[in-house]
Amino acid sequence: AAPLPLPAAATVISLSAVFCVAAWAWLGASVGMPAAPLAGDSKLDCVSYTPFQAADSPFDGAHPIPASLIAADVARLAPITHCLRTYSAAGHGIEEVAAAAQRLNLKVMQGAWISRDGTANAAELEAAAAIAKAHPGTVTSIIAGNEVLLRNEQTPEALVQLIERARALSGLPVTYADVWEFWLKNPSIANAVDFITIHILPFWEDEPVAANGAAQHVASIYARVAAAFPGKRVIIGEVGWPSAGRMRSVALPSSINQARVLHDVVSMARQNGITTNIIEAFDQPWKRKLEGTVGGHWGLLDADARLPKFSWGQPVSNHPQWHFQAAASATLATLVVIVSLIIARKRPAVAPPITWLDWAYTGVIASAGSVLALLSFETLAAGAFGATGIARALMLGLVALIAPFLAAGVAGGRRLPGFSEIIGPQSLRTRCPLSRAMGIALILTFLAAIQVALSLTFDPRYWEFPFAPLTGGALAFAVLVCQWRTESDDLATPHPAESFGAGVLAAAAAFIAVNEGLHNWQAVWLSAVLMILAAVLGRLSMVYGKEPAL
């Protein structure tokens, strides 16, 4: 078959480039924000601060963060907040926070980390009191414990004793911080503290709240807790929204949603006179080990450049670098079409003649796959942490990069081989390099899909929905299995590996969709992709007989 004439090839390339640019322009479109709640010299009431830099982790031991880096962080925060909230008092150079805050006239709510370890708890309370005495007027209160009841690490009675000990050591007002439900479940704690500190995180609620309803939810919960403890001062110790990560029901992490929630919450709090602490100052990548991608992206400022993620009152984009991503996608799509043109020259004579529909499929796979590949690189990089997380990101990234090049299989007129033709006995293996490459891509995509499907089935809380890396491959494989035509009597014996894989993916897809709910479009999208891959494997469970010769 003759290859596509160059003028027509230029048309396919041009349309692919236009699609890539249009797709990224849509993804990167900026959304306007409400009026800035911090007018003039106004600042946030308080911001949670942990001194770990981008590469640091508390799991790496008690190495101290240099005082110069902590001072630089505090200097970045001074223009936007009156106060810093810390969570511990010993280790990692945390004692430098109060010193840096004092130099810049900031206040500090000094935390003391409470756990199951009685010796460590005593040391924390003493360290917190020492910091307070060293910086009078800067440290305004002690927070004796953070979500201890949530973690079930102390009884309410033991916690009361620790609170009283903190007050005796420091001579300052003492509070305890926990998720709002645990205050309602343990009202005795309220009598022990000088004021109540509640956490309201709409994203993490048992019934997650959408970004556009977050502020109303926070106001409602605050009013409920305040009514339960009349005469007691109540402050919000944590409120915020993540800028990246998996959806939970209707709650979608994104830069736009983070900015919108914080605008709405700060404005609501100002109108109602509610003291509010935002979680958190800087992204903390190490939290991804505990909570997945979403855990590392609650900061007002990013972890690497230590710069604000948005400007109050200004439009926000989820993909501010979309111009570069569009250019990279268009370049990748162009390369894929050129490779497909070269492959088309070797299209076997036994293959059906190449048609304009084949070239339309080629363009769609190339352009959609290229956009999804660049989107995948961005999302996978946000979640890669630790050896396992990095390996998983590399696997999915490779699958995403391979996907657009599967367009060459359409142009080359090659069918998609079954598993046995790639990793089976030597006598069954295909000799065609292009078919072999497509088969290897299928196996890699299948392995990635199985890992994702089983993770979200048996341990779903923190795993992502990597719909972008898997969609390009699913689209290409669906085209490839539908493109090739053969006579029914050329079909070989069904292959159980493909049948079993199809069943596992289909069952997992159904479970994920039901378990996560139809409001979670990330889960629904991923479930649809897994279903498409299951259908591809189902079709391959009856593989074709003879491989066409070159």
Side-chain angles (χ1 to χ4, degrees):
L4 188 67
L6 290 180
T11 300
V12 174
I13 290 173
S14 299
L15 290 175
S16 296
V18 168
F19 174 85
C20 290
V21 173
W24 276 109
W26 176 71
L27 289 169
S30 296
V31 173
M33 291 291 122
L38 305 178
D41 296 331
S42 180
K43 299 180 182 182
L44 296 169
D45 295 332
C46 202
V47 174
S48 292
Y49 174 67
T50 305
F52 300 112
Q53 308 295 300
D56 294 323
S57 169
F59 307 119
D60 296 337
H63 67 282
I65 309 299
S68 60
L69 294 181
I70 293 176
D73 281 349
V74 174
R76 288 186 175 94
L77 298 173
I80 64 171
T81 184
H82 293 290
C83 159
L84 301 177
R85 175 191 170 181
T86 63
Y87 289 79
S88 63
H92 304 291
I94 193 69
E95 66 278 356
E96 297 293 336
V97 176
Q102 186 174 44
R103 290 192 293 270
L104 294 172
N105 296 317
L106 295 181
K107 303 301 182 183
V108 174
M109 297 179 69
Q110 179 62 51
W113 188 260
I114 301 300
S115 63
R116 290 188 176 92
D117 188 333
T119 302
N121 292 342
E124 275 285 314
L125 294 177
E126 291 175 0
I131 292 172
K133 291 176 181 178
H135 304 284
T138 295
V139 178
T140 59
S141 59
I142 303 295
I143 304 178
N146 180 73
E147 298 185 350
V148 180
L149 298 177
L150 172 65
R151 298 192 305 274
N152 195 30
E153 293 184 344
Q154 293 287 338
T155 64
E157 294 75 18
L159 185 58
V160 167
Q161 293 180 7
L162 290 167
I163 291 169
E164 292 173 346
R165 176 63 176 164
R167 184 180 294 107
L169 287 171
S170 68
L172 291 175
V174 177
T175 186
Y176 163 71
D178 211 328
V179 177
W180 63 271
E181 293 101 326
F182 285 84
W183 283 99
L184 299 180
K185 293 176 184 177
N186 301 278
S188 61
I189 305 296
N191 295 325
V193 297
D194 295 289
F195 59 95
I196 293 170
T197 301
I198 60 173
H199 295 172
I200 310 175
L201 299 170
F203 178 84
W204 283 125
E205 295 285 14
D206 292 338
E207 295 183 7
V209 179
N212 59 9
Q216 182 178 356
H217 174 77
V218 172
S220 174
I221 295 300
Y222 180 89
R224 181 176 171 184
V225 175
F229 302 103
K232 204 79 171 183
R233 184 187 177 211
V234 178
I235 73 167
I236 298 176
E238 283 186 359
V239 65
W241 195 269
S243 61
R246 72 177 326 267
M247 285 186 74
R248 295 189 70 240
S249 184
V250 296
L252 173 65
S254 72
S255 297
I256 290 173
N257 282 348
Q258 181 187 53
R260 183 56 186 260
V261 168
L262 293 178
H263 275 77
D264 291 347
V265 167
V266 172
S267 179
M268 179 277 298
R270 291 293 170 89
Q271 293 173 8
N272 292 279
I274 301 172
T275 300
T276 303
N277 175 75
I278 303 297
I279 182 167
E280 58 193 326
F282 298 92
D283 282 344
Q284 295 293 300
W286 63 270
K287 290 184 179 180
R288 294 176 295 181
K289 185 174 182 179
L290 303 175
E291 301 174 357
T293 301
V294 71
H297 293 86
W298 289 75
L300 290 167
L301 294 81
D302 69 84
D304 296 306
R306 320 298 274 183
L307 295 175
K309 294 181 184 177
F310 62 87
S311 297
W312 296 95
Q314 299 300 312
V316 178
S317 169
N318 285 334
H319 305 281
Q321 303 300 318
W322 72 266
H323 302 84
F324 301 103
Q325 291 163 309
S329 296
T331 300
L332 179 58
T334 299
L335 176 61
V336 168
V337 175
I338 291 173
V339 170
S340 298
L341 281 169
I342 296 172
I343 295 296
R345 293 179 180 276
K346 298 182 179 181
R347 190 179 177 94
V350 296
I354 193 168
T355 66
W356 270 104
L357 182 59
D358 293 328
W359 285 108
Y361 285 147
T362 299
V364 169
I365 293 172
S367 54
S370 296
V371 170
L372 290 165
L374 268 294
L375 181 61
S376 299
F377 299 156
E378 180 181 83
T379 56
L380 292 172
F385 184 81
T388 302
I390 292 173
R392 185 172 186 264
L394 290 174
M395 176 179 65
L396 289 168
L398 179 61
V399 167
L401 182 60
I402 289 173
F405 286 96
L406 291 169
V410 177
R414 296 293 180 175
R415 67 170 176 81
L416 190 63
F419 291 166
S420 62
E421 295 174 278
I422 304 300
I423 57 176
Q426 193 67 36
S427 60
L428 296 179
R429 296 186 186 182
T430 177
R431 297 184 300 276
C432 172
L434 179 58
S435 292
R436 191 158 53 245
M438 291 191 298
I440 292 172
L442 174 64
I443 291 172
L444 289 174
T445 303
F446 169 71
L447 291 175
I450 283 289
Q451 193 275 335
V452 168
L454 295 181
S455 296
L456 286 166
T457 299
F458 294 103
D459 185 24
R461 182 170 175 83
Y462 297 121
W463 286 105
E464 310 303 309
F465 302 106
F467 56 88
L470 295 176
T471 297
L475 172 65
F477 293 132
V479 171
L480 285 166
V481 297
C482 294
Q483 179 205 33
W484 187 259
R485 297 290 183 267
T486 188
E487 299 298 327
S488 60
D489 57 6
D490 286 336
L491 293 176
T493 304
H495 284 215
E498 286 87 342
S499 297
F500 178 76
V504 171
L505 289 180
F511 174 81
I512 292 167
V514 172
N515 185 57
E516 298 292 340
L518 298 181
H519 293 298
N520 187 332
W521 63 260
Q522 289 183 347
V524 171
W525 184 335
L526 178 65
S527 296
V529 168
L530 295 178
M531 282 293 190
I532 292 172
L533 289 173
V536 168
L537 293 179
R539 174 143 184 164
L540 284 177
S541 68
M542 294 289 289
V543 296
Y544 300 118
K546 294 183 179 180
E547 178 70 20
L550 282 173

